[in-house]
Amino acid sequence: MSVGDVAVRATGVWKRYGVGLTQVDALAGVSADFGKGRFTAIMGPSGSGKSTLLHCLAGLDKPSDGKVFLGDVDLTTLPEKQLTHLRRDRIGFVFQAFNLVPTLSALENITLPLDLAGRKPDQDWLTTVVDTVGLMDRLAHKPSELSGGQQQRVACARALVSRPDVVFADEPTGNLDSRSSGDVLDFLHRSVREFNQTVVMVTHDPTAASYADRVLFLADGQLRSELVDPTAESVLDAMKQLESRHDTADELAG
Ligand SMILES: Nc1ncnc2c1ncn2[C@@H]1O[C@H](COP(=O)(O)OP(=O)(O)OP(=O)(O)O)[C@@H](O)[C@H]1O
Ligand SMILES: [Mg+2]
């Protein structure tokens, strides 16, 4: 991929937690490019480093070694204050727990990042996002008056409203039933197809991963394989292969 097509680039990213006996390499040399206007899913067993990778890519966490570039900005050397601004202006994040402010309406939650930045929302864009996410008739509701799926769609709209370079989502459908998951995934998919948004999403669900253009598989903090144009079936197959390789490695290790 040429540099101009890359939204985020990780090169040799390590993340080490703890010291001595409790030391864990959550990431052990991850290099990957995330193309502009592409939808990438990250999968792997629990503890394989998915959230750690997402946090490093989003500038929420610093790698112990290696580099992360957002466009041509090196996030690993950026002073904290500039990093805070960059996260606010150029990155959207959707968490598994929707993380909405309970006392604010859906609309106020969506525009909160802009309000905090002292920026006015682009009304046309706001309308487009709210319409696409299917929340027009729910804007005055508080999070407690919305279903889980609706709350997560508010969180997605909030992540998109500032037109970030990249939206990162960590198991955005982890707490949702299949119907609500479908709504959220449709929205992320449309944001990529129709608005050329770049999305990087962690998921455990092969069906969710099949909405992506590409799936990266992590195990023990390393990238093990990838799939382009995945289907739920091909993702399941790849997961099985990874597991059997893992079992064989365990047996060899005794
Ligand atoms: N703050 C921390 N301190 C120490 N160890 C950590 C910390 N955060 C994560 N780890 C360890 O790093 C490894 C990777 O964790 P991470 O949360 O990235 O996994 P994950 O793939 O997101 O797992 P899950 O699917 O369960 O969310 C795990 O072994 C975890 O225990
Ligand atoms: Mg995680």
Side-chain angles (χ1 to χ4, degrees):
M1 225 178 286
S2 79
V3 175
D5 301 330
V6 177
V8 193
R9 165 168 286 170
T11 56
V13 170
W14 285 76
K15 182 68 187 183
R16 176 163 289 178
Y17 289 113
V19 284
L21 287 176
T22 62
Q23 185 172 300
V24 181
D25 286 329
L27 296 175
V30 173
S31 298
D33 285 350
F34 299 87
K36 281 185 188 161
R38 308 289 284 170
F39 189 172
T40 309
I42 299 175
M43 301 191 81
S46 183
S48 57
K50 303 180 296 297
S51 295
T52 306
L53 177 60
L54 217 59
H55 292 165
C56 288
L57 294 174
L60 290 166
D61 207 347
K62 282 242 192 273
S64 315
D65 197 9
K67 298 256 170 225
V68 174
F69 293 92
L70 180 74
D72 50 15
V73 180
D74 181 355
L75 300 190
T76 51
T77 54
L78 210 60
E80 195 52 46
K81 195 170 169 198
Q82 277 165 264
L83 192 58
T84 304
H85 285 167
L86 175 140
R87 274 199 307 264
R88 191 185 67 195
D89 298 336
R90 295 180 58 187
I91 287 174
F93 214 101
V94 181
F95 299 90
Q96 182 174 355
F98 321 129
N99 287 11
L100 301 177
V101 180
T103 52
L104 299 182
S105 70
L107 180 62
E108 289 164 341
N109 266 287
I110 292 169
T111 57
L112 183 63
L114 294 175
D115 294 341
L116 291 175
R119 283 162 59 194
K120 286 251 176 304
D122 171 341
Q123 280 304 328
D124 288 346
W125 176 242
L126 180 61
T127 305
T128 303
V129 169
V130 167
D131 200 22
T132 311
V133 87
L135 289 164
M136 256 335 166
D137 58 349
R138 288 284 184 285
L139 289 178
H141 291 58
K142 301 266 162 61
S144 61
E145 299 158 352
L146 298 171
S147 72
Q150 289 166 343
Q151 289 183 57
Q152 191 62 309
R153 283 185 279 143
V154 170
C156 288
R158 179 183 59 187
L160 265 133
V161 78
S162 62
R163 289 181 177 269
D165 293 20
V166 192
V167 169
F168 294 99
D170 195 352
E171 299 192 48
T173 59
N175 282 328
L176 302 179
D177 62 27
S178 63
R179 164 115 195 248
S180 299
S181 295
D183 290 342
V184 166
L185 292 162
D186 276 334
F187 175 64
L188 292 174
H189 188 256
R190 283 185 68 186
S191 75
V192 173
R193 285 293 160 274
E194 293 173 28
F195 314 132
N196 205 34
Q197 180 63 55
T198 305
V199 176
V200 181
M201 170 182 77
V202 167
T203 182
H204 283 282
D205 175 9
T207 304
S210 72
Y211 283 74
D213 300 307
R214 182 170 70 130
V215 187
L216 302 181
F217 294 91
L218 269 181
D220 300 326
Q222 294 183 321
L223 283 180
R224 288 293 156 80
S225 62
E226 76 171 77
L227 267 182
V228 176
D229 294 332
T231 62
E233 291 73 31
S234 66
V235 171
L236 256 181
D237 281 346
M239 287 166 77
K240 280 187 200 141
Q241 276 182 27
L242 273 178
E243 275 166 30
S244 66
R245 261 197 271 164
H246 201 252
D247 291 345
T248 315
D250 284 349
E251 277 164 29
L252 289 173

